[in-house]
Structure formats: structure tokens, C-alpha cells
């Protein structure tokens, strides 16, 4: 190797190494998850785990509208055969996301799927983040992504970007057959093994990506080779539920 190319390759090594360090140190923050601006795997297609909920989100049309996707784009990955049937509260879904690494300023980039939401009566950044998007983002991140809007003075009809937290697998993860890092909000009733079993992965692989200090309502990223098949309620259970309500 000529000295010049050796210099280039050690520089490359140094840069990749600082990239790895950056990954290890990337801490979840209330403003969002940082991404290295030069990571080649961005943008990517990924998914968020979402739970159907009363009163507004008990059908795929309303949830599709919220995330700007079609019913079919949710029903297919979610193991639901009929996209038009109503859902029951807490029914699990996979919603597709287009995840990008977004430059915030000279030193910070944050990975998110930008979802445009039109403000309705009574909405605040906090309510829409915690109730509608079920803590897949935070009001602090919404403020960061909408620097020209004043949170206390939101007019009805104004369009707001809700940055849904997401990540794209980096090169090493891709080599280890991690094709998706699914966005999942850790519930108070969850533990690592229950989440691991929902996704069919080892608990350690969740810890490797998210650390071991996971708190309720944190968004975590579950590394998978492919989406697990969700266990959906049977048609019979859906009918009984409908009669019961
Ligand atoms: C960039 O934005 C981050 C996140 O809000 C902030 O902590 C940091 O101080 C900003 N840096 C500069 C140079 O403005
Ligand atoms: C979102 O998190 C807040 C606490 O930060 C919690 O009160 C709220 O119930 C959570 N929302 C959902 C839909 O779980
Ligand atoms: C997401 O929103 C941020 C902040 O408004 C913007 O800089 C970025 O370009 C957007 N990303 C995409 C892919 O639209
Ligand atoms: C984790 O949660 C599952 C299901 O809720 C429960 O059966 C199991 O005992 C819990 N495990 C631990 C270690 O708490
Ligand atoms: C997928 O859904 C069907 C019912 O629609 C169910 O029979 C099947 O068990 C589900 N798959 C898994 C792996 O849960």
C-alpha cells in the first residue's frame, strides 16, 4: 500500500470506529434519537407497533389516516385478513414508516418518520403525541421539528410534523441479519421477556440495542430479521366484542 492510501484507509477506519462509538453512546433523549448524518442505510422502510384504541382508532381507516398510509399497508404486515373489519381495543398492529435521518442543526441529526397531522379542536403537541401516537414521539421532539410554531398558540387546521421515532439498522446489524428495528413503546405491564417473546427474539438482543434501563412509555427498537406474525383475535371474538359493546 502506498503511504497516501494507507493514510486514507486508516482515516476511514478511524471514522468508522467513531461511528461505532457514536452508536454505543447514542442515548434516548426526549428530543429524539440521534443518527449519524452519513449512515448509508438511511432512509429505510420500517414499522411501528401500534395498539388499536377507543374511541377514535378502532378501524384501519382512521389509523391509516393518522399515519398517512392505506388500510392494506397496515392489514398485510399485521396478519389481518379483512382490512375493513373493525378492531378491538389493544389489538396489535404493525404500521409501516419511512424512516429518515434529519439534520436539525450543524451538530445534531435525528431519525424519524415525519407524519403531517392537521390540528383539531383541543389538540396540543402533548395530547397528540401521548394519546394518538401512543408515545411513539414526544412533545419535545415535536417542538424541535416545528421551530416556527408556538405550542401554546396552535390554530385549528395548522399542519404539524410529528416525528415518529424510528431507526434504520446500521451495516453491522444488516450483516447480522437485522433487517428492521421495529419501534415499540414499552408498556407498564411489559417486561423484557414478554416483549422478546412477542417478537420471537432473545431478550439480550433488545438490551444490546436499547440498554437495560428501559422505562415504561420509552420507545425501544426491537431488532428482527422479519416481522413476527401477530396473533389476531378470531372473527368470533370480534363478533362477541361488538355485541358486548
Ligand atoms: C443542535 O440541536 C440540539 C438539539 O436540540 C441542541 O442540543 C444543540 O445545542 C444544537 N446545537 C447547535 C450548534 O445549535
Ligand atoms: C404515554 O405516556 C404517558 C406518560 O408519559 C402516559 O400517561 C400515557 O398513558 C401514555 N399513553 C399511552 C397511549 O399509553
Ligand atoms: C422531517 O422534518 C424535518 C424538520 O422539519 C426536516 O428538516 C426534514 O427534511 C424532514 N424529513 C423528510 C424526509 O421530510
Ligand atoms: C413477564 O410478563 C409475562 C406476561 O405478562 C409474565 O408471565 C412473566 O412472569 C413476566 N416475567 C418476569 C420475569 O417478570
Ligand atoms: C394469524 O392470524 C390468524 C387468524 O387471522 C391466526 O389463525 C394465526 O394464528 C395468526 N398467526 C399467528 C402466528 O398468530
Amino acid at each position: 500500500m502506498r503511504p497516501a492510501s494507507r493514510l486514507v484507509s486508516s482515516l476511514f477506519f478511524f471514522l468508522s470506529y467513531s461511528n461505532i462509538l457514536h452508536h454505543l453512546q447514542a442515548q434516548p433523549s426526549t428530543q429524539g434519537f440521534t443518527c449519524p448524518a452519513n449512515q448509508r442505510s438511511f432512509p429505510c422502510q420500517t414499522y411501528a407497533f401500534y395498539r388499536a384504541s377507543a374511541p377514535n382508532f378502532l378501524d384501519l381507516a382512521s389509523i391509516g389516516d393518522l399515519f398517512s398510509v392505506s388500510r392494506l399497508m397496515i392489514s398485510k404486515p399485521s396478519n389481518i385478513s379483512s382490512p375493513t373489519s373493525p378492531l378491538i381495543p389493544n389489538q396489535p398492529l404493525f404500521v409501516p414508516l419511512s424512516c429518515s435521518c434529519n439534520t436539525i442543526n450543524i451538530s445534531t441529526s435525528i431519525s424519524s418518520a415525519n407524519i403531517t397531522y392537521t390540528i383539531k379542536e383541543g389538540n396540543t403537541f402533548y395530547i397528540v403525541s401521548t394519546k394518538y401516537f401512543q408515545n411513539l414521539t414526544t412533545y419535545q421532539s415535536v417542538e424541535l421539528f416545528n421551530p416556527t410554531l408556538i405550542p401554546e398558540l396552535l390554530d385549528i387546521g395548522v399542519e404539524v410534523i410529528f416525528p415518529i421515532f424510528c431507526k434504520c439498522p446500521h451495516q453491522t446489524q444488516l450483516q447480522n441479519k437485522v433487517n428492521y428495528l421495529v419501534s415499540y413503546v414499552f408498556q407498564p405491564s411489559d417486561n423484557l421477556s414478554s416483549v422478546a417473546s412477542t417478537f420471537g427474539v432473545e431478550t439480550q438482543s433488545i438490551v444490546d440495542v436499547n440498554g437495560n434501563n428501559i422505562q415504561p412509555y420509552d420507545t425501544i427498537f426491537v431488532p428482527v430479521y422479519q416481522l413476527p406474525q401477530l396473533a389476531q383475535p378470531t372473527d368470533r371474538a370480534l363478533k362477541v366484542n361488538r355485541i358486548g359493546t
Side-chain angles (χ1 to χ4, degrees), residues 29 31 34 104-110 140 144:
S29 128
Q31 288 193 325
T34 56
I104 299 299
N105 61 33
I106 189 156
S107 57
T108 306
S109 296
I110 291 194
Q140 293 94 334
L144 189 63

Side-chain angles (χ1 to χ4, degrees), residues 105-118:
N105 61 33
I106 189 156
S107 57
T108 306
S109 296
I110 291 194
S111 59
S112 68
N114 290 357
I115 306 288
T116 303
Y117 176 88
T118 307

Side-chain angles (χ1 to χ4, degrees), residues 98 100-104 112-114 144-147 161 163:
S98 300
S100 309
C101 187
N102 304 296
T103 308
I104 299 299
S112 68
N114 290 357
L144 189 63
F145 275 67
N146 297 273
I161 294 173

Side-chain angles (χ1 to χ4, degrees), residues 20-32:
I20 292 165
L21 280 182
H22 186 79
H23 275 298
L24 288 176
Q25 288 164 354
Q27 288 296 316
S29 128
T30 51
Q31 288 193 325

